Structure formats: C-alpha cells, structure tokens
Amino acid sequence: MRTSPGIHTKSKRFVSYFMLFFILLAFVTALITALIDPLQFYHRPSWYTPLLSEQERYQNPGLAKNYEYDNIIIGTSMTENFLPSQVDASLGGTTLKLSMEGSTVDEHYKIAKLALETGKVQQVLWGLDYFSLKLATAEEEEDFPDYLYDGKLWTDYKYWFNSSVYKQFFRSIKSTLSGQTKQDLETLYNWNDKVVFGKQYVAESYFKACDKEIDYGTNEESLVQVKVYFNTYIRSLLEEYPDVQFYFYYPPYSVMRQVAWYSSNPVRFNNQLVMRQWMFEQFEQYPNVKLYDFQTTSEWTFNLDLYKDLSHHNGEVNTWIAEAIGEDSSKYRVTSSNIEAFNTLLEEQAESAVIDSNGNVYRSSVQVNGEPLAFTTRLVQGNEELWLPAKEIGTALNASIDWDATTKTVSLTSGGNNVTMTIGNTEALVNGQTLAMDAAPLLAGGKVLVPVAFVADHLGWNVSVEQEGEWLRYLLNS
C-alpha cells in the first residue's frame, strides 16, 4: 500500500518544525548562558554578582579576559597562597592570580597566553616547579576545558550546554538574594587558612615519600624532552612578549623534599640540578626576564613548621618571596656568578639534612678513616643518633651483610665481631650477647636503617660523635 502524498508532506513538515524548534532551543539556551555567564567568560554580569568558582581551570579564563589587572601570577599550588595586594605592594600595579593546582607547563602556557593576548599584562610572576615541566596526562588533558582557552566561538557549545553552568548560576542567585555574595579575588584559591602546618606533618610525609619516590624514579621524563617543553611553552612567550617583564622563581620546598628525591629518586634530583642551571642560561638571553632561587634558603626550608607536607609552605613564605622579588634581592637573584653555588649548596643540603620522628631537622656527616661517607636514606632516632642503611654502613666498614627477609633480621660481621638486629626490635645480639638500643631498626625507602655509631662501635671501630648546633658529625676510625 502506498503512502498518500498528504501524509508524506505532513511527515516532512513535522521533521522540519522539529529541527527548527531544536535549533531555536539551542540558540536560546546558548543566548541565556551567554547572558547569565556565571564564569564571566564573555562579560561581567551587571544585574547579579556571580560567585567565583574554585575550579581554577574553568574560572581563570573569564578572570583573564574581563577583569582589570597589570600583573598575573602563574604556577601550581605553590603559588596559590599569594595575596594579590602584597604582590601589588612589591611589584606595583594590580595583580590577578591565575594559579592552577597540580598544573603542568602546557596548562601554564594556555592561561598565560590567554592573559597576555589581552594586552593588559605588564608583569608575570611565575613559580617554576621542576616537576611541572611535563605535559598533562591523557586523562588530565581530556578533563581540561580547552574550549575556554582556544578563542574559537564554535567550540563554546561545551559551555553553553553545560548543566554545571546553571548550577553555578543558581548558587550565585541564592547567595545574591541572601546578601552573602562577594567577589574576593584577594583570597581566591588560597588554602592557607584551610590546612594545618607543622613539622610533625612534614615528618609523616617524609617517611611515606621514602617508599613512594622509588617508583616515581622509573617514570622521569628525559632531559631532552623536558627542554623541549620549556622551549615550547615558556621560551615562546618570552620571545612573543618582549615588553612584558617576567619574574620566575624556584619555589622553596622543605629541605626534606629535596632529601627524599636525593635518597630515593636520584634521577629526578640530578635532573632538577641540571635544569636549574640550563633554564637560567636560557633566561639569561632575555632582558625581560629575572630569575630568583629560594630553594636553598635554609631559614625557611629547614623550618618545617612553615610547611603542611614536604613541599607546600604557608602564605607567610609567599609574602617573603614577593618582598624579595620586589626588592630584587641579590641574596636570591640568580646570576652567572652564583648559579653553580646555588646548585652546590642545594646538593650539600640534600646530602646532609636528616629528620627525626618529631620533625626536627639536623645536619649530619660521617667520615670513615677521614673519608666522607656518602649515604642515602637516613633519620635520627633515640638519643639523637644517626641511623643509616645497613648495606651502606657494611660496605664502608668492610663488613659482610646478611639479610633474612622471613625474620626481617640483618646481620653485620667484621673481624670476628657480629651485630644482629631485627626490624621493630630494640634488642640487638652482639657477639652472642643481648644489648638494648635506644630505638628499633626499621625499613624506609626499601632499606634497613640501623644506628651507625652502635654498629661501628661493636664491630671494633673507634667512634667519635661531635654535636655542634644542628650538626651531628660521626668520625669512625679503624
């Protein structure tokens, strides 16, 4: 049976109306989104006050496009505790913070480029973390809202038809009606008052990191690739915007962050040293760039009460950084005459710093017959005694080492003397006699840590311990 022409025409007309309705609905939805614009991507709404979103990757484009400023802050969570007013006081002008937690160099480039293209930026304060010199993972890249950064109107549909946009709008309206809405750019993204700082938390983080860093070391990007990222996402901006002043700085992680890398992830630590110098050599070529190094500032980095974990310091340190850069302090400004000294000092600090379970930091050194002993994982336990990997002690003292994984027992033997210790047990067996120790051996970073003075003494070495201020010096002589 054939369909009558009338029915066929009505079907076509219905499809046409449906398509027209769908197009009109999409157009009206896009128009409404552009009108209410809760992320202020197109404009700053005048009839209500949008709440500022803590979703930095989504909120930053609107801020960069539609707010007034002269300076921008770029970087990871290490830069989130800057107060724009304090940066204003140090650098002059009006500062906008465009930080992004856990961000990578390609993400830094995207937000910096967006802001720079507005022509407003006169100065850039950029916290340059070595570990951010990589690209976002495939999963992170998929979650990143590129449509807010690419400048293409036809990709904005992801914003127009996003339900979260309307949720943000209704939250703003509710807050406006209650009289609670305010746009606080001063503390936006700032977490200083939301966490607790203290050396005990750094100590906890350090002992966990000793185990985790071993795995991270197998995934380090090559220096060749890291340099490519630098050239693509940082150098290109320096060349494209020669009239903009860039202030880069190496953030001051706690010294125990450096110790964890040095001990358990030497690939990252050594790559960091190479890149610190190489990046300065690149920056040195541009008159619109200044570089500052705060990573060896021991009065900060050794004071673990300033940190909430191995890396993240409180807002007071951000203030000190802004003031030092504003003063162009020679103590922190990197030059061709001091870059090697900065690197040498950082390596010395990473080699010598040691922590106890309460978060107190010491400096330590061990000499065996006048020769310095290079050691990796270490800590202070008991009566301020230095504990080192049994394997490293055994090698230095020419002792044979036996490890029983089943009983978690380590035994060192030299010159007819034997010291046997068990993980978690404060009693040691010395030449068949049970002796008490101030603390028990433990596993850290996959290594068995034992007391260096106790072991050396009972293996027949002459042991001298010198304590001066924060320094613990061990002299072992045969």
Side-chain angles (χ1 to χ4, degrees):
M1 179 177 177
R2 293 183 178 179
T3 303
S4 67
I7 294 176
H8 182 69
T9 300
K10 289 179 180 179
S11 297
K12 289 179 63 178
R13 187 177 300 160
F14 175 79
V15 171
S16 299
Y17 286 153
F18 178 81
M19 292 299 296
L20 179 60
F21 173 77
F22 180 81
I23 292 171
L24 287 173
L25 179 62
F27 176 77
V28 170
T29 301
L31 192 62
I32 292 174
T33 302
L35 175 65
I36 63 176
D37 199 9
L39 293 181
Q40 305 174 79
F41 181 62
Y42 298 110
H43 60 93
R44 296 175 63 176
S46 58
W47 58 282
Y48 81 101
T49 304
L51 285 174
L52 293 174
S53 172
E54 291 289 333
Q55 298 295 317
E56 298 158 314
R57 291 164 174 79
Y58 290 83
Q59 182 63 82
N60 281 344
L63 300 180
K65 291 172 63 176
N66 296 305
Y67 279 69
E68 295 302 317
Y69 54 89
D70 307 293
N71 315 321
I72 57 173
I73 299 172
I74 300 294
T76 65
S77 54
M78 300 298 296
T79 64
E80 289 177 319
N81 285 339
F82 277 114
L83 295 176
S85 64
Q86 294 176 341
V87 178
D88 295 349
S90 296
L91 301 184
T94 302
T95 303
L96 179 66
K97 184 164 53 181
L98 298 174
S99 308
M100 292 186 285
E101 180 184 8
S103 49
T104 50
V105 69
D106 51 331
E107 295 176 327
H108 296 163
Y109 170 84
K110 291 172 183 176
I111 186 58
K113 176 72 170 174
L114 183 62
L116 288 163
E117 285 178 341
T118 67
K120 304 173 187 176
V121 181
Q122 301 298 315
Q123 301 180 106
V124 178
L125 176 59
W126 194 321
L128 190 54
D129 301 271
Y130 168 73
F131 55 78
S132 71
L133 292 172
K134 59 181 180 181
L135 302 188
T137 64
E139 183 179 357
E140 291 169 340
E141 189 173 1
E142 185 176 346
D143 292 338
F144 190 86
D146 273 307
Y147 56 91
L148 298 177
Y149 294 78
D150 61 14
K152 300 173 182 176
L153 182 63
W154 57 87
T155 64
D156 290 357
Y157 69 90
K158 294 181 180 180
Y159 179 53
W160 300 335
F161 309 125
N162 193 322
S163 61
S164 65
V165 169
Y166 289 89
K167 293 178 182 178
Q168 181 72 9
F169 169 68
F170 287 120
R171 283 196 293 266
S172 297
I173 292 297
K174 180 180 179 180
S175 188
T176 298
L177 293 176
S178 66
Q180 297 176 354
T181 302
K182 61 178 181 178
Q183 291 197 328
D184 186 9
L185 290 174
E186 180 75 353
T187 59
L188 183 64
Y189 310 147
N190 192 303
W191 44 263
N192 186 71
D193 296 331
K194 301 175 183 177
V195 302
V196 180
F197 300 91
K199 60 186 179 183
Q200 66 271 31
Y201 305 112
V202 181
E204 292 174 7
S205 297
Y206 172 69
F207 294 123
K208 292 177 182 178
C210 287
D211 295 321
K212 293 181 180 179
E213 285 295 339
I214 296 175
D215 297 327
Y216 295 158
T218 62
N219 299 316
E220 289 299 312
E221 305 242 12
S222 70
L223 285 174
V224 171
Q225 189 60 65
V226 172
K227 291 176 181 178
V228 169
Y229 297 153
F230 176 92
N231 288 331
T232 302
Y233 298 109
I234 296 179
R235 184 198 292 269
S236 61
L237 293 177
L238 308 182
E239 295 179 346
E240 188 173 355
Y241 297 94
D243 296 328
V244 174
Q245 178 66 54
F246 288 82
Y247 300 99
F248 290 93
Y249 76 91
Y250 297 148
Y253 319 126
S254 81
V255 69
M256 300 314 297
R257 169 76 281 169
Q258 302 293 351
V259 171
W261 283 339
Y262 179 84
S263 302
S264 303
N265 191 352
V267 173
R268 169 170 286 189
F269 183 81
N270 290 326
N271 283 359
Q272 175 193 214
L273 290 181
V274 172
M275 285 301 297
R276 280 162 48 91
Q277 178 151 355
W278 183 85
M279 287 190 291
F280 164 71
E281 292 169 354
Q282 313 316 304
F283 289 142
E284 195 177 24
Q285 302 172 29
Y286 299 92
N288 60 325
V289 177
K290 292 182 179 180
L291 174 65
Y292 300 84
D293 187 351
F294 300 102
Q295 295 185 338
T296 59
T297 308
S298 58
E299 59 266 35
W300 305 353
T301 62
F302 279 67
N303 181 2
L304 302 190
D305 282 327
L306 296 174
Y307 295 83
K308 75 179 185 71
D309 52 33
L310 287 179
S311 302
H312 295 87
H313 53 70
N314 65 22
E316 189 174 17
V317 178
N318 290 93
T319 299
W320 298 337
I321 290 171
E323 290 173 348
I325 292 176
E327 296 167 1
D328 195 19
S329 173
S330 60
K331 180 178 179 180
Y332 309 107
R333 174 78 179 276
V334 182
T335 65
S336 57
S337 61
N338 66 20
I339 179 60
E340 291 186 8
F342 274 126
N343 269 6
T344 298
L345 181 56
L346 184 61
E347 189 165 18
E348 289 175 351
Q349 291 177 350
E351 287 175 347
S352 64
V354 61
I355 193 174
D356 66 17
S357 58
N358 294 318
N360 299 306
V361 180
Y362 303 80
R363 303 286 293 277
S364 60
S365 68
V366 179
Q367 287 189 9
V368 180
N369 287 331
E371 294 295 324
L373 170 63
F375 45 87
T376 55
T377 306
R378 67 273 193 182
L379 75 153
V380 170
Q381 284 202 114
N383 188 24
E384 295 187 350
E385 184 168 4
L386 182 64
W387 291 57
L388 301 178
K391 184 176 182 180
E392 295 173 18
I393 293 176
T395 299
L397 303 183
N398 297 316
S400 61
I401 308 169
D402 182 62
W403 165 250
D404 188 327
T406 303
T407 61
K408 297 190 182 321
T409 297
V410 63
S411 181
L412 295 93
T413 304
S414 177
N417 295 306
N418 174 267
V419 179
T420 299
M421 294 161 286
T422 302
I423 300 298
N425 191 338
T426 58
E427 292 185 339
L429 194 62
V430 178
N431 297 327
Q433 181 182 1
T434 300
L435 297 179
M437 298 182 292
D438 290 332
L442 74 162
L443 282 169
K447 300 170 184 177
V448 182
L449 300 188
V450 297
V452 59
F454 181 90
V455 170
D457 181 47
H458 290 98
L459 288 181
W461 287 70
N462 295 316
V463 179
S464 175
V465 181
E466 300 176 355
Q467 185 167 359
E468 180 183 354
E470 64 183 10
W471 275 96
L472 300 173
R473 295 185 174 89
Y474 288 74
L475 308 177
L476 313 181
N477 294 285
S478 58

